[in-house]
Amino acid sequence: VWVIAKAMEQLSQLNHHGQHVTFTINISGHTLDSDSLIPDMKRLLRFYQLDPRALIIEITETSAIANIEAAKRLINELRALGCRFALDDFGSGFSSFYHLKHLPVDFVKIDGQFVQGMATDPIDRAIVTSINDIAHSFGKLTIAEFVEGPEILGLLKQCGVDFAQGYYISPPRQQVSALMWARAHGRVTKNHAPLRG
């Protein structure tokens, strides 16, 4: 909860300065069984007066399928608050598409191992295309991880992937305020760069 509280505090400060952004917060698998997460989230959202849609909660596919009923319950409760949910490292687990059908997430993050190989391996390219197409058929938006060069970015656009994330888009930043200053002055792109629209 400490990480979530700090993220919300930072988000509140950015909102106060007119910077309206979205934060993606990773949660661990053991958080799925936490009885305090939802009450804490409600309290923090009220305290910082945040729009819940500015928060995308993210969990890995392997953590979600390890305890799928708890994952579904948590996702539904967080979405009822107004938060959005992303399934990370999608494609790495067994029967991924089956689980996608049963997890009410908003975003699917395509596992970076497939994205990295797209430029040299037609099978990786076909896997990314398939994940993207099936995720779209379920009404989910897609995010490609580990985008490290312009060639991969171009291939992702051809596949119809919605967003890209990785060092080529923007390296990790220690201070969000520095990132926001750089963005405001045209020095850096978004961490999740939109590929369509």
Side-chain angles (χ1 to χ4, degrees), residues 78-177:
L78 288 170
R79 293 183 78 209
L81 291 179
C83 300
R84 293 178 289 171
F85 213 95
L87 191 60
D88 194 13
D89 295 338
F90 185 79
S92 60
F94 181 69
S95 300
S96 294
F97 294 127
Y98 170 81
H99 296 298
L100 182 60
K101 183 178 179 181
H102 296 284
L103 289 168
V105 298
D106 302 284
F107 299 90
V108 171
K109 295 186 75 175
I110 302 169
D111 193 311
Q113 67 178 332
F114 303 123
V115 176
Q116 286 177 311
M118 286 181 72
T120 56
D121 189 341
I123 294 174
D124 283 344
R125 200 173 317 143
I127 290 171
V128 170
T129 301
S130 295
I131 291 172
N132 182 70
D133 290 347
I134 292 173
H136 283 170
S137 75
F138 285 120
K140 320 293 186 188
L141 294 173
T142 52
I143 302 169
E145 303 179 302
F146 294 91
V147 178
E148 297 177 354
E151 187 176 4
I152 299 280
L153 191 65
L155 291 169
L156 291 168
K157 286 181 181 178
Q158 290 175 21
C159 292
V161 172
D162 298 299
F163 296 93
Q165 177 184 19
Y167 275 86
Y168 183 70
I169 307 302
S170 175
R173 302 287 174 158
Q174 189 170 18
Q175 294 292 330
V176 175
S177 55

Side-chain angles (χ1 to χ4, degrees), residues 19-87:
Q19 299 284 347
H20 298 286
V21 297
T22 300
F23 274 15
T24 302
I25 303 171
N26 291 76
I27 60 172
S28 63
H30 76 269
T31 305
L32 292 175
D33 291 318
S34 170
D35 293 330
S36 63
L37 180 63
I38 299 301
D40 285 340
M41 291 281 291
K42 288 179 179 177
R43 178 180 54 80
L44 289 165
L45 285 166
R46 275 195 309 271
F47 181 78
Y48 288 114
Q49 299 179 345
L50 293 173
D51 178 0
R53 285 189 57 80
L55 293 173
I56 299 173
I57 309 302
E58 187 174 296
I59 192 167
T60 64
E61 178 190 0
T62 50
S63 294
I65 64 175
N67 194 347
I68 196 159
E69 289 306 316
K72 285 164 65 174
R73 185 170 55 252
L74 180 66
I75 293 168
N76 282 322
E77 289 176 346
L78 288 170
R79 293 183 78 209
L81 291 179
C83 300
R84 293 178 289 171
F85 213 95
L87 191 60

